[in-house]
């Protein structure tokens, strides 16, 4: 793992660049013409991903429960992305956690530098993903922290300022984790598996979880850059708390990009690569990217629900069709993750490379 120990170039904080008032962004943030956000955004702007009211899952009305399961099933098959409301997480907690992270990013550079991360674990304050020298970079900074397994959790590596940060993060993660558990059951049922199949397949009470807080500073040339390059999330499920006021997340749909319009107090849920493998491709992890803008910074919280690192992930036996020639090769999540942590974000190339024929 030697290659992962150091960043290949001096780290530049995107927020500092943004605040310096530059009018032209450095070349390393300028995307090749093909990858720049373009007019195709306009035409798909009217669509939104499905919004699902999860209170239906607890209803006494069996027909409503069934209808809610079906809405989730359709969203998983057609989009791989959906928003959820009445999800059980306190709205106040969501707002306070978002606010405390915004405040964190507005602390002095010196304070944030105390948490500067390295590619060995990614934990802490970072400004790039991948260690390829000379790579095109994204217009964002982030804070990454481990939550599960408990052995990987070190609250001393979480920000001590603002003073309520650690406490809020612990509470927030606990609540969002419960939502993940609920969704894993729903997805198992929808795939025709035992209710606890997926959760056990990713490690049961030993699963991994982490929080990545993204900070997208304003960008003087938003049409040349991306806040996050196209990628699919490597793990199982992602629960994203987007910025209430500023949109930016786009989902790939039929060769175009659809901009998600966040509903207040909703979470955006998306399926990761491991669910594509476990479901034997019945569900797909969908590519997404983030646009930046010249007027408003954006803060988002991405909670990643991941397999236990040494768990071999492979398609559920029940979902393998007799004559189906396509298979995903079994791989542990630790092995899988090295790719993204080395090369950075590259669409869906990795999960596709797991497919073997024969
Ligand atoms: C991510 C991600 C989207 C966003 O962190 O993996 O896709 O809106 N974030 O910040
Ligand atoms: Ni993502």
């Amino acid at each position: 793992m030697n290659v992962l120990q150091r960043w290949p170039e001096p780290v530049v904080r995107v927020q500092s660049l943004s605040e310096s008032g530059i009018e032209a962004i450095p070349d390393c943030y300028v995307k090749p013409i093909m990858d720049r956000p373009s007019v195709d955004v306009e035409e798909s702007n009217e669509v939104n991903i499905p919004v699902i009211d999860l209170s239906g899952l607890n209803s006494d009305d069996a027909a409503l429960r069934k209808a809610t399961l079906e809405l989730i099933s359709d969203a998983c098959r057609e989009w791989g992305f959906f928003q959820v409301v009445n999800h059980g997480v306190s709205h106040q907690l969501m707002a306070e956690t978002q606010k405390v992270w915004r405040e964190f990013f507005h602390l002095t550079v010196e304070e944030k530098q105390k948490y500067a991360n390295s590619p060995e674990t990614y934990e802490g304050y970072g400004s790039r993903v991948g260690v390829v020298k000379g790579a095109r970079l994204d217009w964002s900074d982030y804070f990454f922290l481990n939550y599960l397994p408990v052995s990987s959790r070190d609250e001393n590596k979480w920000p001590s300022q603002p003073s309520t940060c650690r406490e809020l993060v612990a509470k927030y993660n606990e609540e969002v984790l419960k939502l993940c558990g609920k969704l894993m059951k729903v997805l198992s049922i929808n795939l025709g598996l035992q209710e606890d199949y997926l959760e056990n397949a990713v490690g049961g009470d030993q699963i991994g979880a982490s929080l990545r807080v993204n900070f997208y500073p304003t960008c003087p040339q938003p049409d040349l850059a991306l806040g996050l390059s196209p990628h699919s999330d490597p793990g199982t499920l992602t629960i994203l708390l987007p910025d209430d006021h500023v949109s930016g997340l786009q989902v790939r749909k039929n060769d175009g990009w659809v901009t998600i319009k966040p509903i207040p107090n909703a979470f955006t849920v998306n399926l990761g690569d491991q669910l594509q493998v476990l479901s034997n491709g019945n569900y797909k992890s969908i590519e997404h990217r983030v646009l930046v803008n010249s007027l408003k910074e954006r803060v988002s919280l991405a909670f990643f629900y991941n397999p236990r690192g040494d768990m071999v992930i492979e398609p559920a036996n029940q979902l393998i069709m007799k004559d189906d020639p396509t298979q995903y090769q079994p791989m542990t999540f630790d092995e899988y993750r090295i790719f993204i942590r080395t090369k950075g974000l590259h669409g869906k190339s990795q999960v596709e490379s797991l497919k073997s024929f024969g």
Side-chain angles (χ1 to χ4, degrees):
M1 290 244 250
N2 289 347
V3 294
L4 295 178
Q5 270 161 17
R6 291 177 43 188
W7 299 117
E9 288 140 338
V11 175
V12 175
R13 302 303 174 188
V14 178
Q15 185 177 5
S16 305
L17 272 178
S18 171
E19 287 171 1
S20 74
I22 49 165
E23 279 168 23
I25 62 177
D27 284 348
C28 62
Y29 298 97
V30 176
K31 299 291 178 188
I33 292 177
M34 285 280 296
D35 300 339
R36 292 179 197 166
S38 60
V39 279
D40 66 353
V41 177
E42 307 290 330
E43 62 194 50
S44 51
N45 250 350
E46 296 310 311
V47 218
N48 202 359
I49 56 168
V51 179
I52 299 173
D53 181 344
L54 292 188
S55 63
L57 293 173
N58 310 322
S59 166
D60 295 334
D61 177 353
L64 180 57
R65 283 202 307 274
K66 184 159 175 277
T68 309
L69 288 175
E70 270 167 22
L71 285 175
I72 298 173
S73 173
D74 292 348
C76 288
R77 281 169 200 277
E78 281 171 36
W79 288 88
F81 257 90
F82 49 98
Q83 297 193 64
V84 292
V85 295
N86 292 321
H87 40 62
V89 181
S90 147
H91 296 172
Q92 190 187 342
L93 180 62
M94 292 162 74
E96 284 178 0
T97 313
Q98 181 125 32
K99 180 162 172 276
V100 91
W101 279 110
R102 192 181 293 277
E103 287 166 5
F104 169 79
F105 283 100
H106 286 291
L107 294 173
T108 60
V109 178
E110 293 71 38
E111 181 63 27
K112 288 177 290 196
Q113 281 299 119
K114 292 182 188 164
Y115 303 92
N117 75 350
S118 88
E120 202 179 359
T121 64
Y122 277 84
E123 252 193 300
Y125 179 46
S127 295
R128 69 185 286 162
V129 177
V131 291
V132 178
K133 203 171 172 165
R136 300 282 161 147
L137 301 179
D138 290 337
W139 193 262
S140 54
D141 299 320
Y142 63 87
F143 199 101
F144 184 79
L145 58 88
N146 289 330
Y147 182 61
L148 288 176
V150 175
S151 59
S152 74
R153 188 189 306 171
D154 181 357
E155 295 198 11
N156 290 318
K157 293 187 179 156
W158 303 5
S160 63
Q161 293 297 324
S163 60
T164 53
C165 186
R166 287 179 183 166
E167 192 187 326
L168 282 168
V169 168
K171 189 91 196 97
Y172 178 85
N173 285 356
E174 187 185 330
E175 295 288 306
V176 175
L177 181 66
K178 285 187 209 152
L179 172 60
C180 290
K182 188 159 32 170
L183 290 168
M184 289 295 274
K185 286 201 169 69
V186 168
L187 266 50
S188 299
I189 294 167
N190 279 344
L191 285 166
L193 303 166
Q194 296 279 346
E195 159 176 302
D196 53 2
Y197 181 91
L198 288 175
E199 186 153 349
N200 288 337
V202 293
D205 52 14
Q206 304 277 315
I207 58 116
S210 50
L211 182 72
R212 180 182 150 116
V213 182
N214 298 297
F215 185 81
Y216 305 98
T218 56
C219 178
Q221 293 177 298
D223 44 345
L224 301 184
L226 285 173
L228 268 190
S229 293
H231 67 284
S232 57
D233 292 345
T236 312
L237 270 184
T238 304
I239 310 288
L240 182 86
L241 176 59
D243 196 306
D244 262 0
H245 309 289
V246 192
S247 59
L249 176 58
Q250 293 192 317
V251 174
R252 196 193 279 285
K253 180 80 173 162
N254 309 329
D255 294 333
W257 293 97
V258 172
T259 303
I260 296 187
K261 295 188 213 82
I263 309 268
N265 301 315
F267 284 110
T268 298
V269 178
N270 66 289
L271 312 186
D273 294 344
Q274 308 307 315
L275 264 173
Q276 177 168 334
V277 174
L278 286 160
S279 72
N280 198 27
N282 279 290
Y283 293 164
K284 304 273 190 319
S285 61
I286 301 296
E287 245 182 294
H288 49 286
R289 68 179 187 183
V290 178
L291 308 188
V292 286
N293 72 83
S294 59
L295 300 175
K296 283 186 173 159
E297 68 185 32
R298 179 169 178 271
V299 177
S300 72
L301 278 58
F303 183 89
F304 300 114
Y305 180 92
N306 290 333
R308 166 180 159 168
D310 58 359
M311 199 80 187
V312 175
I313 304 297
E314 57 192 334
N317 264 332
Q318 271 171 268
L319 301 177
I320 299 176
M321 299 297 154
K322 261 222 170 72
D323 306 323
D324 186 354
T326 318
Q327 278 287 349
Y328 293 89
Q329 291 162 53
M331 192 184 269
T332 67
F333 186 60
D334 279 343
E335 287 170 315
Y336 191 87
R337 192 155 57 174
I338 288 176
F339 175 96
I340 208 164
R341 291 191 163 190
T342 311
K343 299 199 184 147
L345 308 178
H346 288 284
K348 291 203 53 168
S349 52
Q350 190 188 15
V351 67
E352 296 305 329
S353 75
L354 285 183
K355 274 189 194 156
S356 61
F357 293 89

mmCIF file of all heavy atoms in Angstrom, residues 188-225:
data_model
loop_
_atom_site.group_PDB
_atom_site.id
_atom_site.type_symbol
_atom_site.label_atom_id
_atom_site.label_comp_id
_atom_site.label_asym_id
_atom_site.label_seq_id
_atom_site.Cartn_x
_atom_site.Cartn_y
_atom_site.Cartn_z
ATOM 1 N N SER A 188 -33.916 -5.840 0.412
ATOM 2 C CA SER A 188 -33.876 -7.306 0.441
ATOM 3 C C SER A 188 -35.240 -7.864 0.056
ATOM 4 O O SER A 188 -35.342 -8.747 -0.807
ATOM 5 C CB SER A 188 -33.510 -7.812 1.844
ATOM 6 O OG SER A 188 -32.241 -7.359 2.226
ATOM 7 N N ILE A 189 -36.277 -7.340 0.688
ATOM 8 C CA ILE A 189 -37.639 -7.822 0.405
ATOM 9 C C ILE A 189 -37.968 -7.602 -1.065
ATOM 10 O O ILE A 189 -38.465 -8.497 -1.753
ATOM 11 C CB ILE A 189 -38.665 -7.099 1.313
ATOM 12 C CG1 ILE A 189 -38.427 -7.480 2.775
ATOM 13 C CG2 ILE A 189 -40.098 -7.414 0.887
ATOM 14 C CD1 ILE A 189 -39.166 -6.604 3.777
ATOM 15 N N ASN A 190 -37.646 -6.417 -1.554
ATOM 16 C CA ASN A 190 -37.964 -6.103 -2.950
ATOM 17 C C ASN A 190 -37.225 -7.006 -3.946
ATOM 18 O O ASN A 190 -37.702 -7.236 -5.048
ATOM 19 C CB ASN A 190 -37.642 -4.639 -3.255
ATOM 20 C CG ASN A 190 -38.741 -3.697 -2.780
ATOM 21 O OD1 ASN A 190 -39.865 -4.135 -2.501
ATOM 22 N ND2 ASN A 190 -38.434 -2.418 -2.688
ATOM 23 N N LEU A 191 -36.078 -7.523 -3.532
ATOM 24 C CA LEU A 191 -35.326 -8.416 -4.435
ATOM 25 C C LEU A 191 -35.757 -9.871 -4.261
ATOM 26 O O LEU A 191 -35.195 -10.767 -4.900
ATOM 27 C CB LEU A 191 -33.819 -8.291 -4.163
ATOM 28 C CG LEU A 191 -33.139 -7.025 -4.687
ATOM 29 C CD1 LEU A 191 -31.760 -6.860 -4.056
ATOM 30 C CD2 LEU A 191 -33.029 -7.048 -6.211
ATOM 31 N N GLY A 192 -36.730 -10.090 -3.363
ATOM 32 C CA GLY A 192 -37.207 -11.461 -3.147
ATOM 33 C C GLY A 192 -36.280 -12.252 -2.235
ATOM 34 O O GLY A 192 -36.291 -13.485 -2.235
ATOM 35 N N LEU A 193 -35.478 -11.540 -1.452
ATOM 36 C CA LEU A 193 -34.541 -12.203 -0.541
ATOM 37 C C LEU A 193 -35.086 -12.143 0.883
ATOM 38 O O LEU A 193 -36.033 -11.403 1.163
ATOM 39 C CB LEU A 193 -33.182 -11.488 -0.600
ATOM 40 C CG LEU A 193 -32.532 -11.409 -1.987
ATOM 41 C CD1 LEU A 193 -31.389 -10.390 -1.979
ATOM 42 C CD2 LEU A 193 -32.014 -12.779 -2.409
ATOM 43 N N GLN A 194 -34.495 -12.914 1.786
ATOM 44 C CA GLN A 194 -34.838 -12.797 3.207
ATOM 45 C C GLN A 194 -34.603 -11.362 3.644
ATOM 46 O O GLN A 194 -33.622 -10.745 3.214
ATOM 47 C CB GLN A 194 -33.914 -13.694 4.047
ATOM 48 C CG GLN A 194 -34.042 -15.173 3.779
ATOM 49 C CD GLN A 194 -35.234 -15.767 4.503
ATOM 50 O OE1 GLN A 194 -35.798 -15.131 5.396
ATOM 51 N NE2 GLN A 194 -35.653 -16.950 4.093
ATOM 52 N N GLU A 195 -35.452 -10.905 4.545
ATOM 53 C CA GLU A 195 -35.393 -9.509 4.982
ATOM 54 C C GLU A 195 -33.992 -9.068 5.456
ATOM 55 O O GLU A 195 -33.560 -7.949 5.235
ATOM 56 C CB GLU A 195 -36.466 -9.359 6.062
ATOM 57 C CG GLU A 195 -36.326 -8.253 6.972
ATOM 58 C CD GLU A 195 -37.489 -8.140 7.954
ATOM 59 O OE1 GLU A 195 -38.648 -8.005 7.516
ATOM 60 O OE2 GLU A 195 -37.193 -8.134 9.161
ATOM 61 N N ASP A 196 -33.244 -9.991 6.090
ATOM 62 C CA ASP A 196 -31.922 -9.597 6.600
ATOM 63 C C ASP A 196 -30.785 -10.058 5.669
ATOM 64 O O ASP A 196 -29.612 -9.986 6.042
ATOM 65 C CB ASP A 196 -31.712 -10.110 8.025
ATOM 66 C CG ASP A 196 -31.961 -11.614 8.126
ATOM 67 O OD1 ASP A 196 -32.260 -12.238 7.070
ATOM 68 O OD2 ASP A 196 -31.858 -12.156 9.230
ATOM 69 N N TYR A 197 -31.138 -10.493 4.468
ATOM 70 C CA TYR A 197 -30.102 -11.022 3.565
ATOM 71 C C TYR A 197 -29.003 -9.990 3.282
ATOM 72 O O TYR A 197 -27.809 -10.230 3.483
ATOM 73 C CB TYR A 197 -30.695 -11.503 2.223
ATOM 74 C CG TYR A 197 -29.602 -12.061 1.331
ATOM 75 C CD1 TYR A 197 -29.280 -13.409 1.351
ATOM 76 C CD2 TYR A 197 -28.835 -11.217 0.520
ATOM 77 C CE1 TYR A 197 -28.237 -13.921 0.593
ATOM 78 C CE2 TYR A 197 -27.785 -11.716 -0.245
ATOM 79 C CZ TYR A 197 -27.495 -13.060 -0.205
ATOM 80 O OH TYR A 197 -26.447 -13.544 -0.949
ATOM 81 N N LEU A 198 -29.401 -8.828 2.786
ATOM 82 C CA LEU A 198 -28.391 -7.851 2.340
ATOM 83 C C LEU A 198 -27.534 -7.363 3.510
ATOM 84 O O LEU A 198 -26.318 -7.247 3.386
ATOM 85 C CB LEU A 198 -29.063 -6.663 1.636
ATOM 86 C CG LEU A 198 -29.642 -6.955 0.245
ATOM 87 C CD1 LEU A 198 -30.386 -5.730 -0.290
ATOM 88 C CD2 LEU A 198 -28.537 -7.366 -0.746
ATOM 89 N N GLU A 199 -28.184 -7.113 4.629
ATOM 90 C CA GLU A 199 -27.412 -6.625 5.771
ATOM 91 C C GLU A 199 -26.362 -7.669 6.181
ATOM 92 O O GLU A 199 -25.198 -7.334 6.430
ATOM 93 C CB GLU A 199 -28.344 -6.281 6.935
ATOM 94 C CG GLU A 199 -27.586 -5.631 8.064
ATOM 95 C CD GLU A 199 -28.425 -4.716 8.931
ATOM 96 O OE1 GLU A 199 -29.577 -4.405 8.564
ATOM 97 O OE2 GLU A 199 -27.906 -4.322 9.988
ATOM 98 N N ASN A 200 -26.770 -8.926 6.241
ATOM 99 C CA ASN A 200 -25.800 -9.975 6.593
ATOM 100 C C ASN A 200 -24.720 -10.117 5.534
ATOM 101 O O ASN A 200 -23.550 -10.332 5.848
ATOM 102 C CB ASN A 200 -26.509 -11.317 6.795
ATOM 103 C CG ASN A 200 -27.312 -11.320 8.083
ATOM 104 O OD1 ASN A 200 -27.026 -10.555 8.999
ATOM 105 N ND2 ASN A 200 -28.335 -12.168 8.144
ATOM 106 N N ALA A 201 -25.116 -9.959 4.268
ATOM 107 C CA ALA A 201 -24.147 -10.141 3.192
ATOM 108 C C ALA A 201 -23.054 -9.078 3.221
ATOM 109 O O ALA A 201 -21.960 -9.280 2.697
ATOM 110 C CB ALA A 201 -24.851 -10.125 1.838
ATOM 111 N N VAL A 202 -23.350 -7.920 3.808
ATOM 112 C CA VAL A 202 -22.308 -6.880 3.874
ATOM 113 C C VAL A 202 -21.611 -6.844 5.237
ATOM 114 O O VAL A 202 -20.774 -5.982 5.489
ATOM 115 C CB VAL A 202 -22.836 -5.467 3.506
ATOM 116 C CG1 VAL A 202 -23.240 -5.419 2.031
ATOM 117 C CG2 VAL A 202 -23.971 -5.022 4.398
ATOM 118 N N GLY A 203 -21.976 -7.781 6.105
ATOM 119 C CA GLY A 203 -21.202 -7.862 7.345
ATOM 120 C C GLY A 203 -21.997 -7.780 8.631
ATOM 121 O O GLY A 203 -21.411 -7.738 9.714
ATOM 122 N N GLY A 204 -23.328 -7.724 8.546
ATOM 123 C CA GLY A 204 -24.170 -7.721 9.753
ATOM 124 C C GLY A 204 -23.779 -6.629 10.721
ATOM 125 O O GLY A 204 -23.716 -5.455 10.346
ATOM 126 N N ASP A 205 -23.450 -7.016 11.965
ATOM 127 C CA ASP A 205 -23.133 -5.967 12.939
ATOM 128 C C ASP A 205 -21.674 -5.499 12.825
ATOM 129 O O ASP A 205 -21.186 -4.765 13.676
ATOM 130 C CB ASP A 205 -23.480 -6.417 14.363
ATOM 131 C CG ASP A 205 -22.874 -7.767 14.692
ATOM 132 O OD1 ASP A 205 -21.978 -8.224 13.933
ATOM 133 O OD2 ASP A 205 -23.274 -8.365 15.701
ATOM 134 N N GLN A 206 -20.996 -5.927 11.766
ATOM 135 C CA GLN A 206 -19.590 -5.509 11.574
ATOM 136 C C GLN A 206 -19.427 -4.591 10.356
ATOM 137 O O GLN A 206 -18.319 -4.461 9.830
ATOM 138 C CB GLN A 206 -18.725 -6.743 11.315
ATOM 139 C CG GLN A 206 -18.806 -7.789 12.371
ATOM 140 C CD GLN A 206 -17.879 -7.454 13.501
ATOM 141 O OE1 GLN A 206 -16.735 -7.080 13.262
ATOM 142 N NE2 GLN A 206 -18.361 -7.547 14.710
ATOM 143 N N ILE A 207 -20.509 -4.026 9.872
ATOM 144 C CA ILE A 207 -20.425 -3.245 8.636
ATOM 145 C C ILE A 207 -19.551 -1.994 8.830
ATOM 146 O O ILE A 207 -19.233 -1.607 9.950
ATOM 147 C CB ILE A 207 -21.818 -2.808 8.139
ATOM 148 C CG1 ILE A 207 -22.537 -1.988 9.197
ATOM 149 C CG2 ILE A 207 -22.664 -3.985 7.687
ATOM 150 C CD1 ILE A 207 -22.793 -0.609 8.770
ATOM 151 N N GLY A 208 -19.207 -1.376 7.725
ATOM 152 C CA GLY A 208 -18.437 -0.143 7.775
ATOM 153 C C GLY A 208 -19.345 1.048 7.505
ATOM 154 O O GLY A 208 -20.376 0.905 6.843
ATOM 155 N N ALA A 209 -18.989 2.196 8.021
ATOM 156 C CA ALA A 209 -19.739 3.408 7.699
ATOM 157 C C ALA A 209 -18.816 4.603 7.883
ATOM 158 O O ALA A 209 -17.954 4.605 8.761
ATOM 159 C CB ALA A 209 -20.968 3.544 8.584
ATOM 160 N N SER A 210 -18.990 5.586 7.020
ATOM 161 C CA SER A 210 -18.171 6.796 7.134
ATOM 162 C C SER A 210 -18.980 7.995 6.661
ATOM 163 O O SER A 210 -20.018 7.838 6.005
ATOM 164 C CB SER A 210 -16.890 6.642 6.314
ATOM 165 O OG SER A 210 -17.193 6.203 5.015
ATOM 166 N N LEU A 211 -18.490 9.150 7.035
ATOM 167 C CA LEU A 211 -19.172 10.389 6.644
ATOM 168 C C LEU A 211 -18.182 11.238 5.855
ATOM 169 O O LEU A 211 -17.039 11.423 6.276
ATOM 170 C CB LEU A 211 -19.633 11.147 7.888
ATOM 171 C CG LEU A 211 -20.409 12.444 7.618
ATOM 172 C CD1 LEU A 211 -21.809 12.130 7.077
ATOM 173 C CD2 LEU A 211 -20.537 13.271 8.906
ATOM 174 N N ARG A 212 -18.645 11.720 4.698
ATOM 175 C CA ARG A 212 -17.816 12.628 3.914
ATOM 176 C C ARG A 212 -18.600 13.921 3.773
ATOM 177 O O ARG A 212 -19.697 13.939 3.202
ATOM 178 C CB ARG A 212 -17.553 12.014 2.550
ATOM 179 C CG ARG A 212 -16.702 12.864 1.652
ATOM 180 C CD ARG A 212 -16.540 12.163 0.304
ATOM 181 N NE ARG A 212 -16.394 13.176 -0.707
ATOM 182 C CZ ARG A 212 -15.294 13.340 -1.457
ATOM 183 N NH1 ARG A 212 -14.275 12.524 -1.313
ATOM 184 N NH2 ARG A 212 -15.234 14.292 -2.334
ATOM 185 N N VAL A 213 -18.050 14.986 4.310
ATOM 186 C CA VAL A 213 -18.718 16.278 4.199
ATOM 187 C C VAL A 213 -18.040 17.033 3.066
ATOM 188 O O VAL A 213 -16.816 17.218 3.079
ATOM 189 C CB VAL A 213 -18.621 17.061 5.516
ATOM 190 C CG1 VAL A 213 -19.353 18.381 5.396
ATOM 191 C CG2 VAL A 213 -19.185 16.228 6.659
ATOM 192 N N ASN A 214 -18.811 17.394 2.083
ATOM 193 C CA ASN A 214 -18.257 18.068 0.900
ATOM 194 C C ASN A 214 -18.477 19.567 1.011
ATOM 195 O O ASN A 214 -19.574 20.014 1.361
ATOM 196 C CB ASN A 214 -18.977 17.574 -0.356
ATOM 197 C CG ASN A 214 -18.794 16.087 -0.583
ATOM 198 O OD1 ASN A 214 -17.675 15.618 -0.791
ATOM 199 N ND2 ASN A 214 -19.884 15.330 -0.518
ATOM 200 N N PHE A 215 -17.442 20.316 0.691
ATOM 201 C CA PHE A 215 -17.556 21.772 0.665
ATOM 202 C C PHE A 215 -17.184 22.251 -0.738
ATOM 203 O O PHE A 215 -16.060 22.038 -1.193
ATOM 204 C CB PHE A 215 -16.628 22.399 1.710
ATOM 205 C CG PHE A 215 -16.796 23.890 1.795
ATOM 206 C CD1 PHE A 215 -17.836 24.444 2.534
ATOM 207 C CD2 PHE A 215 -15.934 24.745 1.115
ATOM 208 C CE1 PHE A 215 -18.006 25.830 2.594
ATOM 209 C CE2 PHE A 215 -16.101 26.125 1.171
ATOM 210 C CZ PHE A 215 -17.143 26.662 1.912
ATOM 211 N N TYR A 216 -18.155 22.834 -1.412
ATOM 212 C CA TYR A 216 -17.947 23.332 -2.773
ATOM 213 C C TYR A 216 -17.895 24.857 -2.727
ATOM 214 O O TYR A 216 -18.936 25.510 -2.649
ATOM 215 C CB TYR A 216 -19.093 22.887 -3.693
ATOM 216 C CG TYR A 216 -19.299 21.376 -3.704
ATOM 217 C CD1 TYR A 216 -20.273 20.773 -2.914
ATOM 218 C CD2 TYR A 216 -18.499 20.563 -4.509
ATOM 219 C CE1 TYR A 216 -20.450 19.389 -2.918
ATOM 220 C CE2 TYR A 216 -18.666 19.178 -4.514
ATOM 221 C CZ TYR A 216 -19.641 18.605 -3.721
ATOM 222 O OH TYR A 216 -19.808 17.237 -3.725
ATOM 223 N N PRO A 217 -16.696 25.436 -2.777
ATOM 224 C CA PRO A 217 -16.591 26.898 -2.744
ATOM 225 C C PRO A 217 -17.132 27.484 -4.052
ATOM 226 O O PRO A 217 -17.261 26.773 -5.051
ATOM 227 C CB PRO A 217 -15.085 27.147 -2.637
ATOM 228 C CG PRO A 217 -14.470 25.832 -2.282
ATOM 229 C CD PRO A 217 -15.377 24.791 -2.839
ATOM 230 N N THR A 218 -17.433 28.769 -4.042
ATOM 231 C CA THR A 218 -17.855 29.404 -5.289
ATOM 232 C C THR A 218 -16.700 29.327 -6.286
ATOM 233 O O THR A 218 -15.528 29.315 -5.901
ATOM 234 C CB THR A 218 -18.230 30.889 -5.069
ATOM 235 O OG1 THR A 218 -17.102 31.531 -4.469
ATOM 236 C CG2 THR A 218 -19.442 31.032 -4.170
ATOM 237 N N CYS A 219 -17.053 29.269 -7.555
ATOM 238 C CA CYS A 219 -16.040 29.071 -8.596
ATOM 239 C C CYS A 219 -16.210 30.151 -9.658
ATOM 240 O O CYS A 219 -17.300 30.318 -10.201
ATOM 241 C CB CYS A 219 -16.225 27.686 -9.222
ATOM 242 S SG CYS A 219 -15.057 27.351 -10.550
ATOM 243 N N PRO A 220 -15.133 30.898 -9.967
ATOM 244 C CA PRO A 220 -15.273 31.993 -10.940
ATOM 245 C C PRO A 220 -15.557 31.498 -12.367
ATOM 246 O O PRO A 220 -16.051 32.278 -13.179
ATOM 247 C CB PRO A 220 -13.921 32.709 -10.868
ATOM 248 C CG PRO A 220 -12.972 31.733 -10.265
ATOM 249 C CD PRO A 220 -13.785 30.833 -9.382
ATOM 250 N N GLN A 221 -15.248 30.255 -12.671
ATOM 251 C CA GLN A 221 -15.510 29.719 -14.028
ATOM 252 C C GLN A 221 -16.216 28.362 -13.930
ATOM 253 O O GLN A 221 -15.647 27.314 -14.275
ATOM 254 C CB GLN A 221 -14.192 29.580 -14.794
ATOM 255 C CG GLN A 221 -13.543 30.923 -15.094
ATOM 256 C CD GLN A 221 -12.214 30.746 -15.792
ATOM 257 O OE1 GLN A 221 -11.291 30.155 -15.241
ATOM 258 N NE2 GLN A 221 -12.126 31.227 -17.024
ATOM 259 N N PRO A 222 -17.474 28.398 -13.484
ATOM 260 C CA PRO A 222 -18.174 27.132 -13.207
ATOM 261 C C PRO A 222 -18.401 26.272 -14.445
ATOM 262 O O PRO A 222 -18.621 25.070 -14.316
ATOM 263 C CB PRO A 222 -19.506 27.584 -12.603
ATOM 264 C CG PRO A 222 -19.666 29.002 -12.994
ATOM 265 C CD PRO A 222 -18.296 29.579 -13.196
ATOM 266 N N ASP A 223 -18.328 26.880 -15.624
ATOM 267 C CA ASP A 223 -18.554 26.073 -16.838
ATOM 268 C C ASP A 223 -17.307 25.290 -17.266
ATOM 269 O O ASP A 223 -17.366 24.474 -18.180
ATOM 270 C CB ASP A 223 -19.070 26.956 -17.981
ATOM 271 C CG ASP A 223 -18.298 28.260 -18.089
ATOM 272 O OD1 ASP A 223 -17.571 28.609 -17.123
ATOM 273 O OD2 ASP A 223 -18.396 28.916 -19.136
ATOM 274 N N LEU A 224 -16.186 25.537 -16.590
ATOM 275 C CA LEU A 224 -14.962 24.802 -16.938
ATOM 276 C C LEU A 224 -14.632 23.698 -15.937
ATOM 277 O O LEU A 224 -13.787 22.843 -16.203
ATOM 278 C CB LEU A 224 -13.765 25.766 -16.989
ATOM 279 C CG LEU A 224 -13.834 26.941 -17.962
ATOM 280 C CD1 LEU A 224 -12.508 27.717 -17.924
ATOM 281 C CD2 LEU A 224 -14.099 26.443 -19.379
ATOM 282 N N ALA A 225 -15.299 23.743 -14.784
ATOM 283 C CA ALA A 225 -14.891 22.861 -13.684
ATOM 284 C C ALA A 225 -16.043 21.972 -13.224
ATOM 285 O O ALA A 225 -17.182 22.163 -13.620
ATOM 286 C CB ALA A 225 -14.417 23.715 -12.511
#
